[in-house]
Amino acid sequence: MSIFNRIKAGEIHFTPQREAGEFEEFIAKPSIKSIPDWYKSIKRNYNSTQQDIQRDFRAKVMPNGTIKKCIPFLDALSAGYMFTLPCDVKFDESTGIFGWNIDLQPVTMHDPRQTEGVDLSSEYLKSAYKWINFNSMQTPRGWSCLITHPLNRLDLPFTTLSAVVDTDKHKQAINFPFVMKSGFNGVIPAGTPIAQIIPFKRNKWKSVLGKFDKAKQEKEKFQITKHIEDNYKKTIWEKKNYD
């Protein structure tokens, strides 16, 4: 490991690898800033039907939470940092070609031989591409980064492939391979999330099989279900911070 890694604990450094990297559009930002509009518009509760009430009379007064109230779902959307497209990119499925207006190249294509044998469903085109990243990222000693498709973003017309990189030692810019979904022709707008970066500490792990304890299970169940709403948020959840 390089002796020159002096990144402080709790910091991740994004460093331009070329002049264009100094522009704000090219720098990763906290993922909380990329929460999609469709999530924001979801209601927190839905109404009980008559069948719901017949099955359980409490359904008439108890709130029915939607995914908007699922804190783990939101934690995934907002975890870590997000690289977004710095410009509009247009895709033509018939030719497999991307187009853009800026002088820099935001997308490149993989040599098809690099992905031979990768089992893609019919949902995807067979060609593989790369989002070009204009910045390196570096973490403190002992920390790596999970680089993945923006979590819970099934609405995007592509899927970025996942990777784990030891970013405490790797100091070069990391590009993000992706595949396009079949049937998409059009513009992927500037600001679209393309890769989510989640730092994690490398530890040695060992799986252990626990023993069933009915009394303990019942006690824990009571503790996390005693509130009418937001049980997980009130009893378990800890706020995560990515600045």
Side-chain angles (χ1 to χ4, degrees):
M1 185 178 296
S2 171
I3 62 173
F4 299 107
N5 185 338
R6 297 189 177 92
I7 307 298
K8 294 180 181 178
E11 290 185 356
I12 181 169
H13 290 200
F14 297 101
T15 305
Q17 296 293 289
R18 61 187 78 182
E19 185 177 357
E22 296 174 3
F23 299 143
E24 183 179 352
E25 290 84 357
F26 292 90
I27 304 296
K29 301 175 180 66
S31 297
I32 191 69
K33 295 183 178 181
S34 294
I35 300 298
D37 289 338
W38 57 258
Y39 176 82
K40 296 176 183 178
S41 66
I42 295 175
K43 295 180 179 180
R44 284 175 54 83
N45 294 299
Y46 63 90
N47 296 325
S48 295
T49 65
Q50 195 60 40
Q51 285 182 324
D52 295 329
I53 296 171
Q54 288 176 347
R55 282 195 300 266
D56 188 342
F57 68 92
R58 292 174 299 176
K60 190 170 184 178
V61 294
M62 293 291 285
N64 300 300
T66 69
I67 200 169
K68 187 65 169 287
K69 294 171 75 172
C70 179
I71 294 297
F73 187 90
L74 177 59
D75 268 351
L77 281 176
S78 58
Y81 303 87
M82 195 75 73
F83 279 98
T84 58
L85 264 184
C87 64
D88 290 349
V89 171
K90 188 172 184 178
F91 180 69
D92 180 79
E93 182 179 14
S94 64
T95 61
I97 293 176
F98 286 89
W100 55 88
N101 280 334
I102 65 172
D103 292 334
L104 292 169
Q105 182 176 356
V107 180
T108 189
M109 191 169 185
H110 271 289
D111 186 308
R113 293 171 294 182
Q114 290 181 287
T115 53
E116 284 183 359
V118 176
D119 190 6
L120 291 173
S121 72
S122 58
E123 180 184 3
Y124 296 99
L125 303 178
K126 298 303 180 184
S127 298
Y129 303 88
K130 278 190 293 191
W131 301 117
I132 301 301
N133 174 22
F134 298 97
N135 301 277
S136 67
M137 47 189 160
Q138 194 170 9
T139 47
R141 293 185 183 187
W143 286 74
S144 299
C145 280
L146 168 64
I147 304 168
T148 190
H149 182 79
L151 298 177
N152 293 328
R153 293 304 305 270
L154 306 180
D155 55 310
L156 298 175
F158 58 85
T159 294
T160 299
L161 305 184
S162 300
V164 170
V165 179
D166 295 341
T167 43
D168 54 344
K169 295 176 280 187
H170 190 285
K171 299 182 180 180
Q172 301 302 309
I174 302 163
N175 297 320
F176 314 124
F178 69 99
V179 289
M180 291 296 299
K181 291 181 179 177
S182 301
F184 176 80
N185 281 284
V187 174
I188 305 173
T192 298
I194 57 175
Q196 193 163 355
I197 313 300
I198 304 175
F200 67 93
K201 190 174 183 179
R202 296 192 299 272
N203 284 317
K204 292 184 177 180
W205 291 85
K206 179 181 179 181
S207 63
V208 177
L209 180 62
K211 294 182 179 180
F212 174 71
D213 185 329
K214 184 177 180 180
K216 182 180 179 181
Q217 294 254 346
E218 290 297 326
K219 182 178 180 181
E220 290 176 348
K221 182 179 179 180
F222 173 79
Q223 289 300 320
I224 64 172
T225 58
K226 63 183 180 181
H227 301 288
I228 295 293
E229 290 192 82
D230 300 323
N231 278 291
Y232 177 84
K233 185 176 182 179
K234 292 175 180 177
T235 60
I236 294 175
W237 180 66
E238 290 186 21
K239 186 177 180 180
K240 289 80 176 172
N241 292 294
Y242 303 95
D243 295 324

